[in-house]
Amino acid sequence: MGSLIKKFTRSQLAIPLFALFLLVIFNLIRDPSFFSIDIATNNDGNAVLSGNLISILNGASAIAILSIGMTLITSSCKGQDISVAAMAAIAGSVFVSVLRSNEITIPVLLLAFLFGCVVAVLFSLFNGILVAVFKIQPMIATLILFSAGRSIAYWINGGATPTISSPLITAIGGFIPGIPIPTPIIIMVVFLILISLLLRFTNLGLYTQVVGINEGTAHLNGISPVWIKLIAFIISGVCVATAGCITVCRIGLINHETLLLDAEMDVILSVAIGGNALSGGKFNLYGSVIGAYIIQALTVTLYAMKVPSAAVKAYKAIVIIVIVVFSSPVAKDFVVRMYKKLFKKQAEKEVQAKAA
Amino acid sequence: MQNDIVLSMRNISKSFPGVRALQNVDFTLRRGEIHALMGENGAGKSTLIKVLTGVYPKDSGQVFLNTDGSLREINVKSPYEAQNLGISTVYQEITLCPNLTIAENMFIGRGSYQTVNWRTMKKRAAEILEKLNIPARATQQLDTCSIAVQQMVAIARAVDMDCKVLILDEPTSSLDEQEVEKLFSLMRDLKSRGVGIIFITHFLEQVYQVCDKITVLRNGELVGEYEIKDLPRVQLISKMMGKDLEDVSALQKRKPVGEETDEIPVYEATGLSSLECSNAFDFKIRKGEVNGFTGLLGSGRSESVRAIFAADRITGGKIKINGKEVKIKKPKDAMKHGIGYLPEDRKRDGIVEDLSVRENIILALQVMKGFFRPFSRAEAEAFADEYIKLLGIKTASMDTPIKSLSGGNQQKVILARWLLTNPQYLILDEPTRGIDVGTKVEIQKLVLKLAEEGVSITFISSEIEEMLRTCSRLIVMRDRKIVGELKGEEMTQDNIMHTIAGEAV
Ligand SMILES: Nc1ncnc2c1ncn2[C@@H]1O[C@H](COP(=O)(O)OP(=O)(O)OP(=O)(O)O)[C@@H](O)[C@H]1O
Ligand SMILES: [Mg+2]
């Protein structure tokens, strides 16, 4: 038991899980019914789950999916892609423009998603090539699409913000008839399982970390840093398309200006809160996903406390500073030292007690 | 007598998770004394230094430094503070900034925050390089230099600062005799000016050449402090290892593998050249042969073997493996053809700092097995376990990150990585760098055993003795060109020097 606790406290997930735990406790004290889940009937007459917990899980799906790609890019390239949200707007626009030129059926939906994916992967690869081949700082390289991305999305639908409506779209953005869990949650879980399988049955995780930690060693051991970085950007492209399409389906229209606005910062924060060094190297995907849920839980909590929406960001910033500072090596070291000191004193006291 | 002491450490203890690196260690350094700190890999030498210079906080114990004639307790919190107190250090793993120039590296972080005059800085750096005969330009970026040059720069930087205590943690591990001589004359000069010097090395002869006193550590505990004349070599070794060393001379040298027969070489290159090694060269090695590249610092021996492994971009040449022409354009190709390469600079090209010992051991084999076929945890653990035992790697567990191992043990992990791939041709560039005397013999034995089993080996070492003991053919290099080849009886230290100097043997 003792060693289990020790192992846990040393693990990268300790702080994020602890933060999540505190958030939950805080909410339970504030309002014991905060996490209660109700069954409600929605507009389409389906019995569905509702409640704060569901809305946290649901609302975080897009960020959580994006954070998976961001984690891989961070690990291998030692930097972040700040254009993910803008690219999601592009992918969403492509998705909508394909849907609008056809009658919406399942094959058309899949085709539209595929188009969105291909476009997002191509744009992501553009970033990837700048970073991996031309060795441009990720932040600078992705600044191009960060600023140009939403303009490109604007052109795709001729400047309009068209709506799409179909039972299929609501099924993806909301609920599939007969299933009480919001579909974005299901998509997120499936996505996470797929990525876990990818990490489990390939060497992607090992190679990515080796490239992020020491490129020289990677090269001399037959790993191509360029390829590994490009793969990270490709996977991130798929994440971007998925997140973009889910969000479009949820709101039922594409607005190139506001779709996932500022999401890139939340995504990067998720990665950081998950205990991953933004300077690359070792990573833990689950940490980033937990990070996304922490951010969303925080937002929902603040709204539930009736904090005015303009002030939410400031409160969020404070909590995030606390989490990030606490997971810094300096703070960890301090905690360990304090613990040792306390422990020593206790041990001494025991010895004295025994002697007496 | 009392104020002769410059530095005194009492009852120093330091633990890391799972390891007691130092237990109640005492250490005393006097004015104008060169004091060797000796011990096996993982004995705690570097840790003692790092505790002294504030890299790690100590768990318990006291440190006293002579300030203005009397000993005062000091509590150093950072290497920067140590430097300001007059403790100048060259750490085992070079801690300079790879992407700055040599001049910048020499003068960065030197106390005063006054504006820097780049011109005088460059001039001063050039003078120091000149004085120490370091083959590099002051404006050269550090990571374009060989590890030996980097080591010399680190030394030059430390020596150029005014200090009371100079600490050198394995400064000579990749230096040739000439550079070592230069370093020694520097050290003697400082000694005559009253500086106390702590010198850590695994080269016994160097200890007997310059040192006055020896302190021996074993498994984090103090064995004792001795006058150099009271402790002959054999006793020193047994004090370090806690047992006697087998006689090295008993090592059976392998006879040269058959004279020019028509046997097909395992590896043959004609006109091979790379970006770093622009002079095309021919080279071949037969099955079970151990040969070596030798030459002075900067002679291009490492660059040549890097070309064989395609570590730098290949610019020309034909390669035959077992008589069949193949293309080796990148390290992966070389690995596919059964070539292994242990690089000279383990920090830059060898270790993956944050990953575990286990992951570091299986890395090369894993890459050869393929992207879509990862080893199961159990397989990886079995491999790691086998090699940790075989090479006696000292580590808290196989999940410990490699960066927390001692220098010599990191080196063993990289060696394990390549042994695990079961190569038919293994290139070892300084495999015994930073490895203690006992293990050095083990590694030489291992090399000969592998050769016995039919593995071809290219061995490079800055220690000529070691090469003479293991190799059956030596390729001598000068100015990035092969200038001669010595076989069998011709291989003597003198002949090597003559060949390097360009005289006929
Ligand atoms: N940062 C660290 N974290 C955990 N363990 C460490 C750390 N640094 C050193 N150790 C452990 O402390 C012990 C002593 O290491 P140290 O580096 O002092 O050895 P050393 O005598 O310098 O050996 P070498 O000759 O190989 O350089 C080793 O067992 C090592 O694994
Ligand atoms: Mg050491």
Side-chain angles (χ1 to χ4, degrees):
Chain A
M1 182 66 194
S3 76
L4 209 71
I5 290 178
K6 232 183 194 169
K7 215 173 184 177
F8 175 74
T9 49
R10 244 186 259 158
S11 136
Q12 190 186 326
L13 295 185
I15 302 253
L17 281 176
F18 187 65
L20 196 57
F21 175 75
L22 281 187
L23 262 177
V24 170
I25 295 288
F26 175 75
N27 276 312
L28 283 181
I29 293 173
R30 209 177 45 81
D31 172 11
S33 67
F34 189 75
F35 288 111
S36 63
I37 295 174
D38 306 317
I39 298 182
T41 312
N42 70 357
N43 301 344
D44 303 333
N46 292 320
V48 297
L49 298 179
S50 76
N52 284 324
L53 188 60
I54 298 297
S55 72
I56 291 172
L57 291 176
N58 192 2
S61 320
I63 303 290
I65 290 174
L66 286 175
S67 76
I68 291 172
M70 189 67 82
T71 310
L72 292 176
I73 291 178
T74 299
S75 169
S76 58
C77 307
K78 308 184 186 77
Q80 287 72 39
D81 181 347
I82 56 170
S83 67
V84 281
M87 285 195 294
I90 297 177
S93 301
V94 171
F95 180 68
V96 169
S97 88
V98 173
L99 286 180
R100 278 177 60 84
S101 54
N102 295 281
E103 196 178 328
I104 300 178
T105 58
I106 289 183
V108 168
L109 201 66
L110 288 178
L111 191 75
F113 175 64
L114 197 70
F115 264 80
C117 256
V118 169
V119 170
V121 166
L122 285 179
F123 275 105
S124 195
L125 265 179
F126 167 77
N127 285 337
I129 289 169
L130 289 181
V131 171
V133 180
F134 292 95
K135 307 219 182 311
I136 299 173
Q137 284 281 320
M139 191 78 84
I140 306 300
T142 56
L143 193 58
I144 301 170
L145 279 177
F146 171 76
S147 22
R150 289 188 191 271
S151 310
I152 296 172
Y154 164 87
W155 285 321
I156 291 172
N157 283 308
T161 55
T163 55
I164 39 168
S165 61
S166 145
L168 276 176
I169 298 294
T170 30
I172 293 174
F175 294 87
I176 298 172
I179 299 178
I181 302 169
T183 319
I185 297 182
I186 300 175
I187 294 176
M188 165 61 209
V189 169
V190 171
F191 207 86
L192 192 61
I193 291 174
L194 286 179
I195 292 281
S196 303
L197 289 178
L198 187 68
L199 288 178
R200 172 78 183 70
F201 289 105
T202 70
N203 281 311
L204 185 66
L206 179 68
Y207 288 13
T208 303
Q209 298 184 65
V210 172
V211 168
I213 297 169
N214 193 336
E215 267 185 52
T217 304
H219 173 63
L220 285 184
N221 284 281
I223 300 170
S224 159
V226 171
W227 271 110
I228 293 299
K229 289 177 186 173
L230 290 182
I231 289 176
F233 275 98
I234 290 173
I235 293 177
S236 174
V238 176
C239 295
V240 161
T242 312
C245 295
I246 291 180
T247 313
V248 166
C249 291
R250 178 180 293 148
I251 48 185
L253 63 89
I254 172 76
N255 183 335
H256 50 83
E257 282 302 335
T258 58
L259 182 95
L260 287 173
L261 189 65
D262 293 341
E264 60 276 337
M265 288 307 147
D266 279 350
V267 173
I268 294 171
L269 265 177
S270 310
V271 175
I273 292 179
N276 298 299
L278 292 186
S279 50
K282 265 185 99 77
F283 72 84
N284 188 329
L285 272 189
Y286 307 107
S288 305
V289 172
I290 294 172
Y293 289 121
I294 291 179
I295 293 180
Q296 189 66 23
L298 193 58
T299 316
V300 171
T301 306
L302 290 172
Y303 280 125
M305 286 166 72
K306 308 243 164 16
V307 173
S309 61
V312 162
K313 277 188 182 166
Y315 283 100
K316 242 162 102 176
I318 294 171
V319 177
I320 285 159
I321 288 171
V322 172
I323 297 176
V324 173
V325 166
F326 263 97
S327 50
S328 76
V330 177
K332 269 187 187 163
D333 224 45
F334 181 76
V335 172
V336 168
R337 271 217 303 278
M338 290 314 282
Y339 178 80
K340 262 191 187 164
K341 251 186 202 164
L342 273 175
F343 201 72
K344 227 187 210 166
K345 267 188 195 146
Q346 223 168 27
E348 269 166 22
K349 261 183 208 156
E350 270 170 31
V351 170
Q352 276 168 2
K354 261 184 201 161
Chain B
M1 195 64 208
Q2 181 65 20
N3 44 12
D4 234 20
I5 296 177
V6 212
L7 174 80
S8 156
M9 301 173 80
R10 292 282 155 259
N11 278 317
I12 305 289
S13 295
K14 172 78 197 166
S15 295
F16 296 106
V19 201
R20 303 183 80 176
L22 295 172
Q23 294 176 51
N24 300 325
V25 173
D26 292 343
F27 182 83
T28 311
L29 183 71
R30 296 186 166 74
R31 272 174 60 83
E33 161 181 282
I34 303 183
H35 197 136
L37 187 56
M38 306 285 295
E40 293 189 296
N41 292 134
K45 306 178 294 292
S46 301
T47 306
L48 186 67
I49 299 309
K50 287 184 182 163
V51 163
L52 170 62
T53 58
V55 177
Y56 301 140
K58 53 184 180 289
D59 292 347
S60 63
Q62 290 168 297
V63 181
F64 300 94
L65 185 74
N66 191 330
T67 19
D68 312 322
S70 60
L71 282 184
R72 292 231 182 85
E73 179 162 3
I74 53 168
N75 204 346
V76 181
K77 292 260 179 356
S78 72
Y80 181 73
E81 198 183 328
Q83 194 176 301
N84 287 346
L85 284 169
I87 304 176
S88 176
T89 315
V90 177
Y91 293 98
Q92 181 171 12
E93 306 297 344
I94 293 166
T95 47
L96 302 176
C97 305
N99 47 7
L100 296 184
T101 65
I102 290 183
E104 285 161 343
N105 264 299
M106 276 187 184
F107 294 95
I108 206 170
R110 283 266 202 106
S112 64
Y113 286 105
Q114 292 157 4
T115 43
V116 183
N117 183 336
W118 295 100
R119 178 132 3 112
T120 48
M121 195 170 99
K122 246 182 248 165
K123 210 168 129 231
R124 179 91 184 90
E127 275 168 26
I128 299 172
L129 291 178
E130 171 88 43
K131 193 173 117 206
L132 295 178
N133 256 328
I134 302 175
R137 281 168 295 114
T139 49
Q140 198 171 345
Q141 196 168 312
L142 191 77
D143 61 0
T144 61
C145 306
S146 75
I147 178 110
V149 169
Q150 296 187 21
Q151 223 164 27
M152 287 301 281
V153 171
I155 293 169
R157 174 180 196 276
V159 168
D160 193 52
M161 282 183 268
D162 261 341
C163 60
K164 287 188 258 203
V165 176
L166 174 65
I167 303 173
L168 302 166
D169 191 352
E170 300 197 28
T172 57
S173 61
S174 50
L175 299 189
D176 283 309
E177 258 167 68
Q178 274 80 354
E179 282 78 41
V180 172
E181 257 329 302
K182 266 179 252 155
L183 172 63
F184 285 178
S185 64
L186 263 177
M187 283 165 66
R188 291 197 185 100
D189 182 39
L190 288 171
K191 172 183 159 166
S192 68
R193 283 194 262 146
V195 175
I197 301 177
I198 305 178
F199 182 50
I200 301 180
T201 184
H202 289 293
F203 297 108
L204 300 190
E205 56 286 11
Q206 296 181 357
V207 170
Y208 286 95
Q209 243 175 304
V210 283
C211 296
D212 308 304
K213 277 222 178 69
I214 306 181
T215 290
V216 180
L217 297 181
R218 186 168 67 226
N219 284 331
E221 288 173 58
L222 179 69
V223 176
E225 190 197 87
Y226 310 91
E227 289 289 334
I228 197 98
K229 55 181 186 298
D230 301 337
L231 193 70
R233 200 175 288 222
V234 188
Q235 275 190 33
L236 169 59
I237 293 174
S238 67
K239 289 248 178 333
M240 279 161 55
M241 309 205 333
K243 61 173 196 238
D244 290 333
L245 182 70
E246 301 166 57
D247 193 1
V248 186
S249 56
L251 263 181
Q252 263 295 322
K253 188 153 99 185
R254 254 176 81 70
K255 285 178 214 74
V257 180
E259 281 303 305
E260 300 293 326
T261 53
D262 31 75
E263 187 196 348
I264 298 165
V266 167
Y267 173 92
E268 183 175 11
T270 22
L272 184 63
S273 64
S274 75
L275 272 190
E276 297 294 318
C277 173
S278 44
N279 294 317
F281 66 99
D282 300 345
F283 172 78
K284 65 182 166 200
I285 186 163
R286 285 193 295 278
K287 193 173 162 68
E289 180 184 340
V290 183
N291 65 14
F293 280 80
T294 177
L296 301 179
L297 178 58
S299 62
R301 40 179 205 205
S302 291
E303 286 76 6
S304 305
V305 292
R306 282 176 72 88
I308 295 176
F309 192 68
D312 304 314
R313 181 166 313 145
I314 298 299
T315 49
K318 278 205 179 74
I319 314 276
K320 280 184 186 165
I321 299 274
N322 294 322
K324 249 198 269 149
E325 192 166 331
V326 297
K327 278 212 166 60
I328 296 185
K329 290 288 173 207
K330 53 182 196 292
K332 182 104 181 256
D333 301 338
M335 287 161 71
K336 260 191 231 143
H337 290 108
I339 305 179
Y341 166 63
L342 181 115
E344 165 188 39
D345 185 347
R346 72 165 164 262
K347 192 173 177 201
R348 194 183 65 193
D349 296 331
I351 62 171
V352 190
E353 297 94 0
D354 300 319
L355 294 190
S356 65
V357 171
R358 171 173 45 82
E359 286 160 308
N360 269 287
I361 288 181
I362 63 154
L363 184 60
L365 189 64
Q366 179 64 82
V367 171
M368 287 168 73
K369 194 176 175 213
F371 183 76
F372 291 103
R373 299 171 60 208
F375 285 118
S376 73
R377 182 79 180 218
E379 282 172 307
E381 279 177 0
F383 285 138
D385 198 47
E386 181 187 342
Y387 279 85
I388 287 174
K389 289 211 182 87
L390 180 76
L391 297 179
I393 298 170
K394 246 190 228 167
T395 169
S397 82
M398 63 175 79
D399 296 315
T400 314
I402 191 172
K403 66 177 173 196
S404 62
L405 264 58
S406 80
N409 282 303
Q410 293 181 8
Q411 183 74 14
K412 290 189 208 170
V413 170
I414 310 302
L415 186 61
R417 177 191 294 166
W418 290 107
L419 292 179
L420 182 61
T421 62
N422 201 3
Q424 58 169 332
Y425 174 29
L426 184 57
I427 303 166
L428 301 173
D429 196 350
E430 305 271 7
T432 56
R433 186 160 106 84
I435 292 225
D436 65 48
V437 263
T439 318
K440 224 175 232 178
V441 176
E442 293 299 318
I443 287 180
Q444 289 168 20
K445 274 204 257 173
L446 187 75
V447 164
L448 295 177
K449 185 172 143 265
L450 285 172
E452 204 70 50
E453 290 164 5
V455 181
S456 312
I457 293 168
T458 292
F459 193 96
I460 296 182
S461 169
S462 41
E463 215 183 334
I464 290 188
E465 300 264 317
E466 191 176 49
M467 297 194 64
L468 291 177
R469 255 198 311 269
T470 42
C471 299
S472 55
R473 186 158 65 97
L474 283 182
I475 293 151
V476 186
M477 299 196 64
R478 186 189 57 222
D479 296 337
R480 307 189 164 243
K481 279 197 209 82
I482 295 179
V483 292
E485 202 179 301
L486 300 170
K487 278 201 217 70
E489 297 297 299
E490 307 161 1
M491 295 192 332
T492 62
Q493 205 138 350
D494 280 345
N495 275 346
I496 294 173
M497 284 306 145
H498 285 309
T499 319
I500 288 176
E503 298 158 20
V505 174

